[in-house]
């Protein structure tokens, strides 16, 4: 058996007295797409932030290619170079053009020259249908365009894993499709993707593994067919029923 | 509607704009007319006019004051870079998160509290008279030097608070995005947080700099002959207050263009980077 790209072992995270993640264990295989679904406040975002070391975990281990990256003193910047992240509210840098947003880390973290960084950025902008937006500032673009630019910014670093944190939740319904198309395209290149999402249809159609998070625990996980078709846990059934009632599946 | 012709709405809005312009002009004219008509009716207006609005004294003092003002500008110019640098350092220190830097954070807090808690004038006296009193050789005993140091130390404390507010006003998600790309803490601060913070605090920063431009005159109280001192000398010599009025005019000549230019620069920046403005 090959080593998983990322292994979570009994990850526990508390904010003061509240346990947000309660001994979460999960193996993410290289090249797979893993969807984390579950009610609001179940810990989906925190889980992704822990994987990117944006949150300090209180217990457990986090392995990247079999190496423990959660030990104290481990340089988080080397990890983040290999794990990209896209956020719900895009988090583009508002004082920079789209091109500068993408090239900043290429130049300052990877040390690429301006010319090479811009070439790489333009290539991605073309790929994500943003060719005419390189000089636009984030506030001048639609939400869908901003999110595609934010994905381009993360993908430009050529990460081994991409974490997508509810990337369509802030978008108008008609803009969701264009962003999900970009994710489908990334999946076809073999990138390992972990997404927290409320887009159940998308999770069902594109995931290799679906995990249901509830109260900080993974209560159920399996193939989309298993989780959506024949959920074993009562809580999962209730959650999916609510989603169906809301017209979201 | 053909291109070039005005729609009914546009014609109406144009009429509205003209109406407001007429009202604004008329009300300003009335206020000015009232001042011109009423002030000369005051009992001692004649005396005030000769001692504050003496054209000959104004013409005579103005060039001398302008010359003395060069010193104010010099003090201002060499103080500002040190103020900004020190203030940034203090603000960044106060916003640092590493537990190892706790002593520095405490030092930064104590510094801002002490410097802001005492009047600027008092610091100028304490540092400007105190340090040269140690008996160092020239140029280290210059009141001009230590007066400037007092200004730098006090103003850096105020400006540091302005920067700190700016840094804290940048949403945490910006830092998260920067760190998620692998930028270090210092890189995130330098390329992502500070540029946004500084843009936001330019208006309050200008406010502090205009204050500084005026407080430079306090340095005259420990010796150097700058514009306020020169105006005082002229006042005593001719027993006339007009030089003070001339000095005030000179201050305004500098501060008003400074603030207008900043506003214009900010507006241009805003237009460049943001979406359409709401009415």
């Amino acid at each position: 058996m090959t080593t998983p790209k990322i292994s979570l072992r009994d990850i526990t995270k508390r904010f003061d007295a509240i346990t947000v993640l309660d001994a979460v264990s999960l193996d993410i295989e290289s090249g797979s797409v893993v969807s984390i679904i579950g009610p609001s406040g179940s810990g989906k975002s925190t889980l992704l932030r822990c994987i990117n070391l944006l949150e300090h975990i209180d217990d457990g281990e986090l392995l990247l290619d079999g190496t423990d990256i959660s030990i104290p003193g481990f340089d988080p910047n080397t990890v983040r170079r290999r794990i990209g992240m896209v956020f719900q509210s895009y988090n583009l840098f508002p004082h920079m053009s789209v091109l500068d947003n993408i090239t900043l880390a290429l130049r300052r973290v990877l040390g690429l020259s301006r010319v090479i960084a811009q070439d790489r950025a333009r290539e991605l902008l073309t790929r994500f249908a943003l060719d005419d937006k390189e000089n636009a500032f984030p506030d001048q673009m639609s939400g869908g365009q901003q999110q595609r630019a934010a994905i381009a910014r993360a993908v430009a670093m050529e990460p081994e894993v991409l974490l997508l944190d509810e990337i369509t939740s802030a978008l108008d319904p008609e803009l969701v499709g264009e962003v999900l198309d970009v994710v489908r395209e990334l999946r076809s290149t073999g990138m390992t993707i972990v997404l927290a999402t409320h887009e159940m249809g998308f999770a069902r159609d594109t995931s290799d593994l679906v995990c249901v998070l509830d109260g900080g625990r993974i209560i159920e996980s399996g193939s989309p067919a298993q989780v959506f078709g024949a959920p074993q846990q009562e809580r999962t059934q209730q959650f999916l029923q609510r989603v169906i009632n809301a017209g979201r599946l | 509607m053909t291109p070039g012709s005005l729609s009914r709405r546009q014609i109406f809005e144009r009429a509205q704009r003209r109406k407001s312009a007429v009202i604004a002009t008329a009300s300003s004219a009335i206020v000015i007319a009232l001042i011109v008509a009423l002030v000369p009716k005051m009992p001692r207006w004649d005396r005030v006019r000769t001692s504050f609005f003496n054209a000959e004294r104004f013409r005579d003092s103005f060039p001398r004051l302008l010359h003395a003002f060069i010193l104010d500008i010099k003090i201002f110019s060499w103080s500002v870079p040190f103020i900004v640098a020190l203030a940034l350092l203090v603000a960044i220190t106060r916003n640092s998160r590493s537990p190892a830097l706790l002593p520095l954070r405490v030092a930064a807090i104590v510094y801002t509290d002490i410097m802001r808690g005492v009047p600027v004038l008092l610091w100028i006296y304490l540092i400007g008279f105190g340090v040269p009193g140690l008996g160092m050789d020239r140029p280290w005993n210059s009141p001009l030097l230590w007066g400037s140091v007092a200004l730098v130390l006090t103003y850096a404390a105020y400006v540091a608070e302005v920067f700190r507010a700016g840094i804290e006003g940048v949403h945490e998600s910006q830092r998260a995005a920067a760190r998620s790309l692998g930028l270090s803490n210092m890189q995130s601060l330098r390329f992502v947080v500070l540029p946004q913070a500084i843009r936001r605090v330019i208006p309050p920063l200008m406010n502090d700099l205009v204050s500084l431009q005026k407080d430079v005159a306090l340095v005259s109280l420990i010796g150097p002959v700058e514009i306020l001192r020169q105006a005082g000398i002229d006042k005593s010599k001719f027993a006339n207050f007009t030089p003070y009025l001339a000095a005030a005019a000179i201050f305004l000549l500098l501060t008003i263009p400074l603030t207008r230019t900043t506003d214009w620069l900010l507006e241009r920046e805003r237009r460049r980077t943001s979406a359409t403005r709401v009415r």
Side-chain angles (χ1 to χ4, degrees):
Chain A
M1 193 189 141
T2 56
T3 316
K5 186 50 109 181
I6 292 178
S7 256
L8 284 70
R9 292 189 189 157
D10 295 324
I11 300 277
T12 298
K13 171 70 189 172
R14 295 185 200 91
F15 289 119
D16 296 326
I18 304 157
T19 302
V20 185
L21 295 175
D22 189 3
V24 171
S25 295
L26 174 64
D27 282 345
I28 297 159
E29 302 300 330
S30 186
S32 68
V33 174
V34 176
S35 291
I36 319 277
I37 62 171
S40 291
S42 56
K44 303 188 289 292
S45 290
T46 306
L47 184 64
L48 294 189
R49 292 171 67 90
C50 285
I51 295 177
N52 207 15
L53 307 183
L54 285 174
E55 300 287 353
H56 178 83
I57 58 174
D58 293 305
D59 201 8
E61 292 179 328
L62 185 58
L63 309 183
L64 176 61
D65 280 335
T67 309
D68 188 351
I69 56 172
S70 59
I71 50 173
F74 198 94
D75 178 14
N77 297 328
T78 59
V79 173
R80 294 185 188 127
R81 238 172 263 189
R82 300 170 59 188
I83 304 180
M85 182 152 184
V86 184
F87 301 84
Q88 178 172 2
S89 42
Y90 336 129
N91 298 10
L92 290 170
F93 307 131
H95 60 297
M96 292 182 189
S97 68
V98 167
L99 197 65
D100 290 342
N101 260 279
I102 299 173
T103 56
L104 175 67
L106 296 180
R107 295 176 60 203
R108 302 294 171 180
V109 178
L110 300 186
L112 300 184
S113 74
R114 180 189 286 270
V115 176
I116 293 175
Q118 290 187 341
D119 282 352
R120 199 192 273 193
R122 291 201 177 99
E123 211 171 284
L124 278 165
L125 289 174
T126 307
R127 205 167 127 197
F128 295 167
L130 290 165
D131 326 50
D132 54 334
K133 294 293 178 193
E134 66 170 62
N135 293 317
F137 284 86
D139 282 355
Q140 297 164 337
M141 303 199 295
S142 75
Q145 290 167 341
Q146 288 189 56
Q147 195 58 294
R148 282 182 283 144
I151 296 173
R153 182 174 70 177
V155 171
M157 297 293 288
E158 299 180 342
E160 297 158 39
V161 181
L162 196 57
L163 309 174
L164 308 177
D165 186 8
E166 309 230 18
I167 57 167
T168 58
S169 302
L171 296 177
D172 288 341
E174 81 268 23
L175 300 178
V176 169
E178 66 189 51
V179 171
L180 294 184
D181 285 345
V182 166
V183 179
R184 281 192 196 94
E185 202 237 357
L186 290 173
R187 178 183 194 254
S188 70
T189 65
M191 184 172 290
T192 309
I193 298 175
V194 186
L195 60 146
T197 188
H198 285 295
E199 296 293 333
M200 297 304 155
F202 183 75
R204 186 183 56 196
D205 299 341
T206 54
S207 310
D208 299 298
L209 180 71
V210 177
C211 302
V212 185
L213 204 59
D214 188 59
R217 292 168 175 271
I218 294 182
I219 56 169
E220 184 156 2
S221 69
S223 70
Q226 285 169 338
V227 173
F228 289 104
Q232 301 300 303
Q233 299 292 322
E234 201 187 327
R235 302 277 289 276
T236 308
Q237 292 164 10
Q238 287 168 354
F239 171 66
L240 291 175
Q241 192 58 49
R242 282 201 304 276
V243 171
I244 290 165
N245 291 345
R248 300 296 293 268
L249 183 65
Chain B
M1 179 192 150
T2 55
S5 76
L6 294 175
S7 69
R8 279 178 59 194
R9 172 182 284 273
Q10 285 168 329
I11 292 166
F12 174 74
E13 285 179 350
R14 198 169 60 174
Q16 290 280 311
R17 276 198 299 276
R18 280 187 188 148
K19 202 166 130 191
S20 353
V22 168
I23 292 173
T25 314
S27 62
S28 314
I30 290 169
V31 170
I32 291 167
L34 280 175
I35 292 172
V36 171
L38 293 181
V39 171
K41 295 222 185 315
M42 299 285 178
R44 294 218 173 150
W45 164 242
D46 278 350
R47 278 175 159 190
V48 169
R49 195 176 59 182
T50 47
S51 58
F52 278 88
F53 300 95
N54 184 323
E56 195 196 329
R57 288 271 63 84
F58 194 96
R59 271 195 300 275
D60 176 58
S61 279
F62 197 83
R64 246 192 327 276
L65 293 174
L66 208 53
H67 187 73
F69 193 54
I70 293 172
L71 183 59
D72 292 76
I73 293 178
K74 277 187 188 163
I75 298 173
F76 179 79
S77 310
W78 67 54
S79 299
V80 167
F82 288 106
I83 290 171
V84 170
L86 183 58
L88 263 181
L89 200 67
V90 171
I92 290 170
T93 306
R94 278 196 78 165
N95 273 279
S96 64
R97 296 171 186 198
S98 158
L101 294 180
L102 180 70
L104 282 180
R105 272 199 294 280
V106 172
I109 292 170
V110 170
Y111 167 77
T112 43
D113 283 358
I114 290 181
M115 295 320 281
R116 290 189 308 153
V118 175
V120 181
L121 181 55
L122 208 44
W123 280 122
I124 291 176
Y125 278 143
L126 288 174
I127 299 175
F129 283 138
V131 181
L134 292 174
M136 286 178 288
D137 293 330
R138 291 178 72 179
W140 299 106
N141 58 1
S142 150
L144 196 57
L145 169 69
W146 294 105
S148 306
V149 168
L151 281 178
V152 167
L153 291 178
T154 42
Y155 267 81
Y158 288 98
V159 173
E161 287 298 282
V162 170
F163 281 139
R164 186 167 75 103
I167 292 171
E168 284 175 1
V170 175
H171 198 267
E172 190 65 22
S173 63
Q174 286 287 309
R175 213 183 274 256
R179 299 306 307 275
S180 80
L181 288 166
L183 291 166
S184 70
N185 228 333
M186 280 315 287
Q187 285 176 322
S188 306
L189 194 65
R190 178 171 156 208
F191 299 112
V192 176
V193 178
L194 279 184
Q196 296 184 57
I198 290 172
R199 269 179 185 78
R200 280 180 212 191
V201 300
I202 281 175
L205 196 61
M206 284 312 295
N207 194 31
D208 279 355
L209 290 188
V210 169
S211 277
L212 171 66
Q213 176 52 48
K214 293 173 295 169
D215 281 353
V216 162
L218 295 176
V219 173
S220 68
L221 295 172
I222 57 170
V225 179
E226 52 66 72
I227 187 166
L228 186 61
R229 196 84 188 293
Q230 185 64 54
I233 293 169
D234 282 16
K235 179 217 64 175
S236 308
K237 197 146 105 194
F238 302 105
N240 188 291
F241 289 102
T242 309
Y244 284 139
L245 200 73
I250 290 171
F251 273 107
L252 289 179
L253 279 180
L254 188 75
T255 49
I256 292 181
L258 201 65
T259 42
R260 288 305 104 218
T261 310
T262 323
D263 278 3
W264 177 76
L265 287 173
L266 281 171
E267 176 64 17
R268 199 183 60 167
E269 168 75 10
R270 199 193 56 75
R271 272 176 210 276
R272 195 171 65 95
T273 59
S274 44
T276 36
R277 176 181 209 165
V278 292
R279 299 217 297 178

